[in-house]
C-alpha cells in the first residue's frame, strides 16, 4: 500500500467560482506557498457565545513542596509513546500501561505540581510523547512535543524539561484579521499533530499551521518535521483543494475563513484531519472536505467534500472541538459534521449534522447517521459536530456489532452501529440507543476493567458519568457511576490511565475548563469526589479551550495560555 496522508477538511470555507466571479474567487483562494499576495479582506469580528458554567479558580497551591525531588524521580515502568490525540485511532483516550499513577498514589500527599513550562502561545494541541528516542547526537531522551497557537513547536526532555530544540513555522494569523474571536489573539497550530514513528531514531511530526506572512495574506500548510532535529523533512504543502460540484460549479478552500481544529490521525498509511469554519463566516460558500496527502511528498492525493451543490447554507464542518477523526481496524474513517445542508437528492447532496463513515480511499460514504431533528439543530446553531465520534473497540466474545458514540450541542448521546450507522429516520430509530444528557463541546473516553468495557462522558455543567457497554444481543449503555464535580463550559474530554485492566489502577483525568484550567482526577471504578484537583493555567479568552490532558510515564501534562503545567509524584 502506498504511504499516504489524508486530511479531513470539514467546514472548509470554500468559494463557488464561476466565470463572472473570478475576482471574488481570487480574493479567498489559496496562494502559492511562498506568496505574500493579499487573499483576505477585513471582516466584522464575530465570536460564538459561551455556554454553561464557568467555574471559579481553586485556591492557589502552586508547586509541591518536594517538586524538585519529584523531577528527579524516574518512572518505574516501561516508558510509552503518545503519538496522537487520545492515544489510539478509535480514539479511546486510554493509556493501558501506567504503573505509577493509581487512585491511591494520586490521592496521596506525594502527588502534585512539579513544574510549569513557559511557551509562547495558547496550547490547543494535546502534548505528545516519544519515549526512548535516540537523538542525532546519540543521546536517548523521552521527548515531549508541545505545539502552540503562535506556531512554535518545542521538544523538551520529559525528565529534566530542558529544551532539546524549538522551531517557528511562521507568523500566526491575527484573530482580528481573520474576523473571528473564538480564539484570541491568534490562530496558528490549532490541532493536535500526529507523530509517525519508524524506529528508535526515526519519527516525523505531521502538523498543520495557519500563517499570515503579511496582513491579509493567509496560508494553511501541512508540515513534516523531524523529531530528532526539528527540521522540515520536505517543503511544506499549501492546503488548496478544488472540487467540481454536481451542478457543474467549483469550490475551493478559503484560508481566511477556515481553520484546522480537529486532531490529526494516522491510519491506512495516511494522515486524516478535519477543518472547521471561523465563526460560520461566509456560510453560503462553505463546504466540508476530506483530503488526502502523501506524507513523503505532502502532495494532495484525494478529496471528499460534504456539500455537493449550492443550497444557500453550506458549512457541514468537521471541527469536533478538537477531537480527532476516528478509524476502526477495517480502516473506515469516522467524523461528525456541524450545521449545514442535509439532502440525499442528486444535485443537492449535503451531509450537514451527520456522522460519516468513509471508505479509506475517501471516494465514498459507506454509511451515515443524521438526527431526525437536523433542521432544528441547524436553525439553533446546535451543531451535532461540536463533539467527537469514538469507535468502541470490539471485545472478546462480543455479539453486538461494532459500535460508535457521538454527541453534540443538543446533549443527546447516540450509540450507533458503526457498520450501519442508521441513516436519517423518524425518531432516530436507526440508532441503537440515545440518552439525553447535557450539551457537548466534548468527547467520550473508554477503558476495560473488572466491570467490563466502560465509557466516560461529561457534558456541559454535568458531572462525569460512567456507563457500562452491553456487548451482547441487546447493546446499550447503562450508567454505573457518577462524579460529584460539575463540568466547566461545554463539558470535558476525559482520558484514562491504568495498568492493563486492573481496576484498582485506573484513573480518569479531565480538564475542568473556564478562564482558569483545572485538572481533576477520579477513581475510574467509583468516580465520586475528585481524588485530586488543582489549577493548571489560564486561558486567553473565556472557556473555549476544549483541551485534553496527556498522561504518560508517571506525569500529567495540561496545556493552557502560554503554559504547560506538569504534575506527578514526588516519592
Amino acid at each position: 500500500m502506498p504511504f499516504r496522508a489524508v486530511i479531513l477538511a470539514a467546514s472548509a470555507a470554500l468559494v463557488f467560482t464561476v466565470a463572472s466571479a473570478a475576482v471574488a474567487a481570487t480574493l479567498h483562494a489559496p496562494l502559492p506557498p511562498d506568496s505574500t499576495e493579499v487573499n483576505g479582506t477585513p471582516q466584522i469580528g464575530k465570536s460564538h457565545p459561551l455556554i454553561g458554567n464557568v467555574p471559579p479558580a481553586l485556591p492557589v497551591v502552586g508547586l509541591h513542596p518536594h517538586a524538585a525531588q519529584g523531577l528527579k524521580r524516574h518512572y518505574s515502568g516501561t516508558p510509552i509513546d503518545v503519538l496522537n490525540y487520545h492515544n489510539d485511532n478509535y480514539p479511546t483516550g486510554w493509556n493501558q500501561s501506567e504503573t505509577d499513577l493509581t487512585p491511591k498514589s494520586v490521592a496521596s500527599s506525594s502527588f502534585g505540581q512539579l513544574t510549569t513550562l513557559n511557551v509562547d502561545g495558547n496550547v490547543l494541541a494535546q502534548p505528545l510523547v516519544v519515549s526512548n528516542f535516540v537523538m542525532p547526537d546519540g543521546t536517548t531522551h523521552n521527548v515531549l512535543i508541545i505545539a502552540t497557537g503562535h506556531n512554535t513547536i518545542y521538544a523538551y526532555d520529559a525528565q529534566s524539561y530542558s529544551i532539546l530544540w524549538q522551531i517557528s513555522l511562521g507568523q500566526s494569523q491575527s484573530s482580528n484579521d481573520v474576523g473571528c474571536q473564538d480564539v484570541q489573539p491568534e490562530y496558528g497550530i490549532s490541532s493536535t499533530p500526529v507523530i509517525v514513528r519508524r524506529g528508535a531514531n526515526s519519527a516525523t511530526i505531521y502538523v498543520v499551521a495557519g500563517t499570515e506572512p503579511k496582513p491579509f495574506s493567509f496560508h494553511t500548510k501541512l508540515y513534516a518535521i523531524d523529531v530528532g532535529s526539528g527540521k522540515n523533512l520536505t517543503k511544506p504543502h499549501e492546503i488548496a483543494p478544488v472540487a467540481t460540484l454536481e451542478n457543474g460549479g467549483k469550490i475551493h478552500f478559503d484560508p481566511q475563513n477556515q481553520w484546522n481544529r480537529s486532531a490529526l490521525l494516522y491510519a491506512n498509511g495516511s494522515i486524516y484531519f478535519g477543518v472547521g469554519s471561523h465563526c460560520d463566516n461566509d456560510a453560503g460558500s462553505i463546504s466540508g472536505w476530506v483530503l488526502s496527502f502523501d506524507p513523503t511528498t505532502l502532495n494532495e492525493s484525494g478529496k471528499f467534500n460534504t456539500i455537493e451543490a449550492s443550497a444557500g447554507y453550506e458549512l457541514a464542518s468537521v471541527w469536533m472541538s478538537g477531537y480527532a477523526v476516528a478509524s476502526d481496524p477495517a480502516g473506515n474513517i469516522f467524523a461528525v459534521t456541524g450545521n449545514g445542508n442535509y439532502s440525499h437528492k442528486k444535485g443537492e447532496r449535503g451531509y450537514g449534522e451527520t456522522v460519516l463513515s468513509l471508505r479509506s480511499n475517501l471516494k465514498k460514504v459507506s454509511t451515515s447517521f443524521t438526527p431526525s431533528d437536523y433542521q432544528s439543530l441547524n436553525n439553533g446553531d446546535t451543531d451535532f459536530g461540536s463533539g467527537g465520534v469514538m469507535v468502541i473497540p470490539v471485545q472478546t466474545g462480543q455479539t453486538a456489532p461494532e459500535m460508535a458514540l457521538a454527541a453534540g450541542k443538543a446533549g443527546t448521546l447516540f450509540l450507533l452501529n458503526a457498520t450501519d450507522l442508521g441513516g436519517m429516520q423518524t425518531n432516530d430509530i436507526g440508532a441503537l440507543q440515545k440518552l439525553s444528557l447535557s450539551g457537548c463541546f466534548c468527547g467520550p473516553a473508554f477503558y476495560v476493567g473488572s466491570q467490563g468495557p466502560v465509557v466516560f462522558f461529561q457534558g456541559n455543567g454535568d458531572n462525569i458519568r460512567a456507563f457500562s457497554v452491553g456487548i451482547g444481543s441487546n447493546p446499550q449503555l447503562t450508567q454505573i457511576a457518577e462524579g460529584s464535580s460539575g463540568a466547566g463550559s461545554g463539558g470535558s474530554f476525559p482520558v484514562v490511565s491504568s495498568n492493563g485492566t486492573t481496576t484498582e489502577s485506573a484513573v480518569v483525568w479531565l480538564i475542568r475548563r473556564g478562564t482558569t484550567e483545572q485538572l481533576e482526577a477520579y477513581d475510574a471504578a467509583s468516580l465520586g469526589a475528585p481524588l485530586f484537583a488543582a489549577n493548571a493555567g489560564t486561558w486567553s479568552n473565556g472557556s473555549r479551550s476544549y483541551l485534553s490532558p496527556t498522561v504518560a510515564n508517571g506525569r500529567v501534562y495540561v496545556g493552557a495560555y502560554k503554559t504547560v503545567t506538569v504534575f506527578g509524584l514526588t516519592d
Side-chain angles (χ1 to χ4, degrees):
M1 175 182 292
F3 188 56
R4 304 157 83 184
V6 177
I7 291 183
L8 220 162
S11 179
L14 308 166
V15 177
F16 292 81
T17 61
V18 295
S20 62
V23 174
T26 300
L27 180 64
H28 288 287
L31 296 169
D34 300 321
S35 173
T36 57
E37 182 183 353
V38 171
N39 63 343
T41 184
Q43 300 181 138
I44 296 174
K46 301 178 183 178
S47 65
H48 286 96
L50 294 172
I51 70 164
N53 178 48
V54 178
L58 297 170
V60 176
V61 175
L63 291 177
H64 192 284
H66 303 297
Q69 176 178 309
L71 289 173
K72 296 177 182 178
R73 182 186 186 277
H74 288 271
Y75 181 55
S76 69
T78 301
I80 65 160
D81 293 337
V82 179
L83 303 179
N84 62 329
Y85 182 88
H86 276 208
N87 299 81
D88 53 48
N89 288 358
Y90 293 99
T92 64
W94 182 19
N95 171 2
Q96 304 180 39
S97 303
E98 176 56 51
T99 59
D100 292 9
L101 300 177
T102 66
K104 183 177 180 180
S105 67
V106 171
S108 75
S109 60
S110 175
F111 185 80
Q113 182 181 336
L114 300 182
T115 190
T116 297
L117 309 179
N118 295 305
V119 295
D120 63 3
N122 281 315
V123 182
L124 285 151
Q126 187 178 13
L128 301 177
V129 178
V130 187
S131 292
N132 290 326
F133 187 80
V134 180
M135 301 295 284
D137 64 1
T139 60
T140 299
H141 298 262
N142 294 337
V143 183
L144 172 68
I145 300 296
I146 304 294
T148 76
H150 198 62
N151 277 339
T152 302
I153 301 177
Y154 298 82
Y156 290 91
D157 178 280
Q159 183 68 42
S160 67
Y161 300 106
S162 60
I163 295 177
L164 301 171
W165 54 258
Q166 72 181 74
I167 59 165
S168 173
L169 301 185
Q171 178 64 48
S172 59
Q173 298 174 355
S174 161
S175 299
N176 290 334
D177 290 355
V178 167
C180 180
Q181 304 295 329
D182 280 352
V183 175
Q184 298 175 15
E186 61 192 347
Y187 294 92
I189 301 171
S190 302
S191 59
T192 302
V194 65
I195 299 173
V196 177
R197 187 167 189 177
R198 302 177 182 88
N201 63 349
S202 176
T204 303
I205 306 166
Y206 292 95
V207 60
V208 173
T211 61
E212 189 182 4
K214 287 188 177 180
F216 298 100
S217 179
F218 295 102
H219 293 262
T220 303
K221 297 179 183 179
L222 174 64
Y223 298 76
I225 308 294
D226 177 45
V227 169
S229 65
K231 295 179 180 179
N232 282 294
L233 293 173
T234 190
K235 185 178 177 63
H237 185 88
E238 192 82 20
I239 307 304
V242 178
T244 300
L245 301 172
E246 289 179 342
N247 65 3
K250 290 184 182 295
I251 52 175
H252 62 72
F253 179 88
D254 177 345
Q256 179 177 15
N257 289 318
Q258 69 188 72
W259 63 321
N260 163 229
R261 181 66 185 98
S262 76
L264 281 67
L265 166 76
Y266 177 72
N268 307 316
S270 303
I271 301 202
Y272 301 80
F273 64 83
V275 176
S277 73
H278 282 302
C279 290
D280 298 350
N281 287 338
D282 199 20
S285 300
I286 293 175
S287 170
W289 294 89
V290 178
L291 308 174
S292 65
F293 290 76
D294 181 278
T296 301
T297 65
L298 302 186
N299 291 330
E300 182 182 302
S301 59
K303 56 200 171 189
F304 172 87
N305 47 293
T306 62
I307 297 292
E308 278 294 343
S310 178
Y313 184 64
E314 309 303 341
L315 292 174
S317 301
V318 175
W319 69 289
M320 302 188 294
S321 296
Y323 206 76
V325 176
S327 178
D328 67 6
N332 298 303
I333 304 301
F334 295 83
V336 192
T337 65
N339 301 335
N341 180 53
Y342 172 79
S343 175
H344 282 191
K345 295 180 181 178
K346 184 173 178 58
E348 300 178 8
R349 207 178 338 258
Y351 290 99
E353 311 287 15
T354 296
V355 178
L356 293 169
S357 172
L358 301 165
R359 300 278 177 86
S360 60
N361 62 11
L362 310 180
K363 293 183 178 180
K364 186 177 179 180
V365 176
S366 297
T367 179
S368 66
F369 171 78
T370 307
S372 58
D373 62 348
Y374 72 89
Q375 191 59 61
S376 175
L377 299 181
N378 272 344
N379 293 343
D381 187 26
T382 317
D383 299 48
F384 192 17
S386 66
V389 57
M390 182 187 76
V391 178
I392 299 174
V394 174
Q395 302 300 299
T396 301
Q398 179 169 325
T399 57
E402 179 182 67
M403 293 177 281
L405 287 172
K409 293 180 187 176
T412 302
L413 177 64
F414 291 96
L415 179 66
L416 304 171
N417 177 343
T419 62
D420 181 4
L421 290 169
M424 197 285 286
Q425 300 186 54
T426 303
N427 297 323
D428 302 318
I429 61 173
L432 297 173
Q433 184 184 14
K434 61 179 185 178
L435 298 173
S436 182
L437 297 172
S438 185
C440 174
F441 291 75
C442 66
F446 171 90
Y447 100 117
V448 179
S450 62
Q451 300 153 303
V454 176
V455 163
F456 297 95
F457 182 87
Q458 185 177 39
N460 176 56
D462 196 12
N463 299 330
I464 186 167
R465 300 171 185 269
F467 299 89
S468 65
V469 182
I471 59 173
S473 58
N474 183 30
Q476 61 180 344
L477 303 177
T478 303
Q479 184 170 316
I480 56 174
E482 182 177 345
S484 63
S485 175
S489 177
S492 70
F493 294 90
V495 297
V496 187
S497 64
S498 71
N499 188 3
T501 58
T502 307
T503 301
E504 58 267 23
S505 70
V507 180
V508 180
W509 307 85
L510 61 88
I511 296 173
R512 191 172 185 239
R513 59 187 183 237
T515 52
T516 300
E517 304 298 309
Q518 299 168 17
L519 175 67
E520 290 188 339
Y522 293 84
D523 186 323
S526 59
L527 296 182
L531 302 168
F532 176 85
N535 297 323
T538 60
W539 197 244
S540 60
N541 64 312
S543 53
R544 299 183 180 92
S545 48
Y546 310 146
L547 306 177
S548 282
T550 296
V551 184
N553 308 330
R555 302 277 171 90
V556 184
Y557 302 97
V558 180
Y561 178 56
K562 293 191 173 183
T563 63
V564 175
T565 307
V566 183
F567 297 87
L569 297 169
T570 59
D571 297 332

